[in-house]
Amino acid sequence: MNQRTCLSVILAAGEGTRMKSAMPKVLHAIAGLPMVAHVVKAAEAAGTTGLALVIGHGADEMRKAAQKFAPKAETFVQEKRLGTAHAVLAAREAISKGYDDILVMFGDTPLIDAQALAAARQKLAEGAAVAVIGFRPPSPTGYGRLIEKDGHLVAIREEKDCSEEEKKIGFCNAGMMAVAGKHALRLLDKVGNDNAKGEFYLTDIVEIAGAEGLDVVATEASFENALGINNRAELAEAEAIWQARRRREAMLSGVTLIAPETVYFSHDTEIGADTIVEPNVWFGLGVKISTGATIHAFSHMTGATIAENCEVGPFARLRPGADLRKKAKVGNFCEVKQSTVEEGAKVNHLTYIGDARVGAGANIGAGTITCNYDGYSKFFTDIGEGAFVGSNSSLVAPVSIGKGGYIASGSVITESVPDDALAFGRARQKTIPGKGKELRERFASAAAARKKAAAE
Ligand code: UD1
Ligand code: MG
């Protein structure tokens, strides 16, 4: 089957008014990825060799987005929404290039999985002309019903066109189907619009193919595969299902999630075995975690790379470009951005490390701030191996601290510090014996005099 070529036609011309959004519906994200891009990913995983995106509403925005998530896709504009068959035909030019298989999918049905698509393609490889993906929803209302006879699919009847008897059928059309490329255009061109909605229904090709004596079958997929998103409540529902799948996958691959329902992944999160994730952790886009890390509760990260056996949090924030090498530690209330924390270095408490390198084994004291920005430009701070930065220090970039450099706590460091040097960047302490007591007595008698004057 892998030898067969396949064009995936993804229908995404709908306006999605119920999203109440300035953005086209299918660009709303699940796990940080536009829902239509999830469909593209499933198509790719099912071995598609060509991609056609049928767009309409918000065409410019869609084209721009597609360059990112499907740079190889051809886009076709369906000017008027005259039905799903009409929408597929918008991609006529791509279909006529002659593919073995044509897969039709909906851009707003993001949880479709590659196996369901591959199963439908398999039916074509076995000789079917059309293979429709069916499912059994808790309630079939609103869906097209699959009418079968002797193991073959004879028709799909839209709810509005169903008889009372047909409405009782629980096996429904998920919307997606595989059509043999050699028949696709001929079948689609025969579709008319004589139905309750006056639309050109893709589903009509089932009967048309049957009338030609071609083999038409239905495959069955789980309910999630067919979950169409029309509003933000359904978007959240799809997100929840996606997250549940991903958490399970992570756990089965050797990641401990203590409270899985509180951990959120992005579509591209990579997380290695023996990582322990405590409750309430957010993995934003672009996070890569190697093995054996511990991510403590309430940590938030985006674009971070975490090497073996690191420890992060609780309450840590790793921003894009945070690069933690082996056994590095970034502790509570620390923020790291565009910085490398090298092997075994410790940034444990209440610290901001931005545009910096923290050398291997260095220790950054509580409250250290790299002052990386002057309001116009960003500057780099280089902290050498084994350096020790005392608590509550400000490192005013550009600045460097040499290997083994030692910074006295409370320093404001504006000049670079050589290897093994000690730097103080604060006023020297002065201690005056007895002066504290003297001050206290002076203040007390002044207060008493004021009180007396007020009483007179
Ligand atoms: C469709 C199926 C129905 C199935 C259901 C599953 C048809 C005729 N009916 O119905 O059997 O049970 O999906 O959810 O296919 N679109 C366009 N251009 C158009 C029309 C639609 O791009 O002219 C796109 C929509 O944006 C949407 C998809 O095609 O992503 C499906 O259209 P929709 O109107 O939602 O079809 P349903 O009535 O839900
Ligand atoms: Mg729909």
Side-chain angles (χ1 to χ4, degrees), residues 161-375:
D161 302 301
C162 274
S163 67
E164 285 311 309
E165 221 25 60
E166 287 166 340
K167 276 186 187 161
K168 289 182 190 149
I169 297 171
F171 194 29
C172 295
N173 176 23
M176 292 134 289
M177 62 172 79
V179 186
K182 61 182 172 206
H183 300 305
L185 284 179
R186 191 185 68 254
L187 298 176
L188 286 162
D189 280 329
K190 285 189 183 176
V191 172
N193 63 349
D194 182 17
N195 52 52
K197 274 168 106 180
E199 284 189 2
F200 294 88
Y201 289 160
L202 170 64
T203 46
D204 281 358
I205 71 168
V206 168
E207 278 172 280
I208 294 166
E212 288 192 10
L214 297 169
D215 186 22
V216 182
V217 295
T219 59
E220 188 169 339
S222 67
F223 174 51
E224 286 100 76
N225 278 282
L227 190 72
I229 311 301
N230 295 306
N231 56 45
R232 295 185 202 232
E234 287 165 355
L235 182 70
E237 215 179 296
E239 176 83 37
I241 293 169
W242 190 95
Q243 291 294 343
R245 280 184 184 175
R246 183 66 186 90
R247 288 165 189 146
R248 192 174 158 73
E249 193 183 293
M251 291 185 280
L252 296 183
S253 71
V255 177
T256 294
L257 304 179
I258 295 171
E261 66 285 1
T262 67
V263 174
Y264 290 84
F265 292 102
S266 286
H267 71 97
D268 61 353
T269 307
E270 291 175 23
I271 185 162
D274 284 325
T275 297
I276 297 173
V277 184
E278 291 183 356
N280 297 301
V281 171
W282 176 268
F283 296 108
L285 291 172
V287 174
K288 289 192 177 76
I289 302 177
S290 181
T291 53
T294 300
I295 313 297
H296 293 288
F298 297 100
S299 293
H300 184 289
M301 52 196 84
T302 319
T305 307
I306 298 173
E308 294 92 273
N309 304 316
C310 286
E311 211 175 314
V312 174
F315 296 97
R317 176 156 187 227
L318 302 183
R319 290 173 50 206
D323 181 1
L324 277 51
R325 304 286 164 82
K326 279 183 200 168
K327 291 190 173 173
K329 279 179 81 174
V330 173
N332 41 270
F333 307 106
C334 292
E335 175 177 339
V336 177
K337 186 220 76 172
Q338 198 58 51
S339 296
T340 308
V341 182
E342 293 182 347
E343 190 166 342
K346 290 184 184 133
V347 181
N348 271 343
H349 331 269
L350 302 147
T351 286
Y352 173 60
I353 299 291
D355 303 304
R357 173 184 79 104
V358 179
N363 189 311
I364 307 298
T368 298
I369 306 288
T370 53
C371 309
N372 60 327
Y373 187 48
D374 61 7

